[in-house]
Amino acid sequence: RFLKVEQDLINARNYLDHDLARFKAIQSYSQKAIKAETLKEFAEITVELVLETFEVESSAFFLFDKNENNLKVQASLGFDDETIKGIQLNSNWITSRGLNRNGKVLIEQLQPDSAPLGTLGLSQVILSPFYDDDGTLSGIIAGGVSVGKKDYYNEIKEELIPSFMV
């Protein structure tokens, strides 16, 4: 019985240590993001944070293009550059996930042939939309794990959502 209590305490401490590390990384990110001089630099800082903080294999920062009515990659890490630059998340994809206005963070399991994110080789992805002051979609930050490395990385779980929203 005491061993069970001890193990529960160890698990709770590990969980809190992990949350503290995330908090410190987000705090550091905030300081860097404020100093970003361009949107491109801000996007690059953001994808770097996602990789380091959430222990995912790849990350992308998409911005909504109002002229073309889709999301386009502004920065990414962990993807083949040519492949990710060709990915656009169109209005049908955006609508199907309820991201048009005030959507929530999503975690998706992907099939290897599912367009567009499954074609990047991802098996799982977390998506955090962000909005302008009017509640209109401005972009999405994504973190993912590939099919080939899903055994190496931890599964993306619901407990990451509050931190990922920041």
Side-chain angles (χ1 to χ4, degrees):
R1 182 173 172 170
F2 289 113
L3 290 176
K4 169 84 169 103
V5 170
E6 182 180 13
Q7 187 60 45
D8 288 347
L9 288 172
I10 290 169
N11 290 341
R13 180 175 179 178
N14 289 340
Y15 181 79
L16 291 172
D17 286 346
H18 209 230
D19 274 358
L20 179 60
R22 257 191 236 127
F23 174 77
K24 287 179 179 180
I26 290 169
Q27 184 179 30
S28 173
Y29 161 76
S30 297
Q31 293 168 354
K32 290 178 188 176
I34 289 170
K35 295 177 185 175
E37 295 182 11
T38 64
L39 180 59
K40 180 85 171 148
E41 186 179 353
F42 176 77
E44 289 170 353
I45 291 167
T46 301
V47 295
E48 186 177 313
L49 166 88
V50 169
L51 284 183
E52 292 173 1
T53 306
F54 297 99
E55 300 172 7
V56 292
E57 178 183 359
S58 53
S59 178
F61 186 102
F62 294 87
L63 276 183
F64 189 72
D65 183 329
K66 292 178 183 175
N67 296 328
E68 296 186 26
N69 201 28
N70 64 24
L71 291 156
K72 292 183 177 181
V73 175
Q74 295 299 304
S76 66
L77 284 172
F79 292 106
D80 172 63
D81 286 340
E82 292 305 312
T83 306
I84 190 70
K85 286 181 181 173
I87 296 295
Q88 294 183 15
L89 307 176
N90 65 29
S91 59
N92 291 336
W93 185 90
I94 294 166
T95 302
S96 71
R97 281 143 183 90
L99 301 174
N100 296 43
R101 297 186 69 79
N102 301 320
K104 298 177 182 174
V105 173
L106 301 173
I107 298 173
E108 289 192 358
Q109 305 297 324
L110 302 170
Q111 298 300 316
D113 58 348
S114 63
L117 299 176
T119 59
L120 292 172
L122 296 175
S123 67
Q124 191 179 33
V125 67
I126 184 169
L127 304 163
S128 182
F130 54 95
Y131 301 89
D132 64 16
D133 292 337
D134 297 331
T136 304
L137 182 66
S138 293
I140 290 177
I141 299 168
V145 175
S146 72
V147 173
K149 295 187 180 174
K150 69 181 179 181
D151 293 336
Y152 177 75
Y153 288 91
N154 290 332
E155 181 180 354
I156 300 171
K157 295 183 180 178
E158 298 277 326
E159 67 190 31
L160 287 181
I161 289 176
S163 298
F164 203 81
M165 287 173 33
V166 174

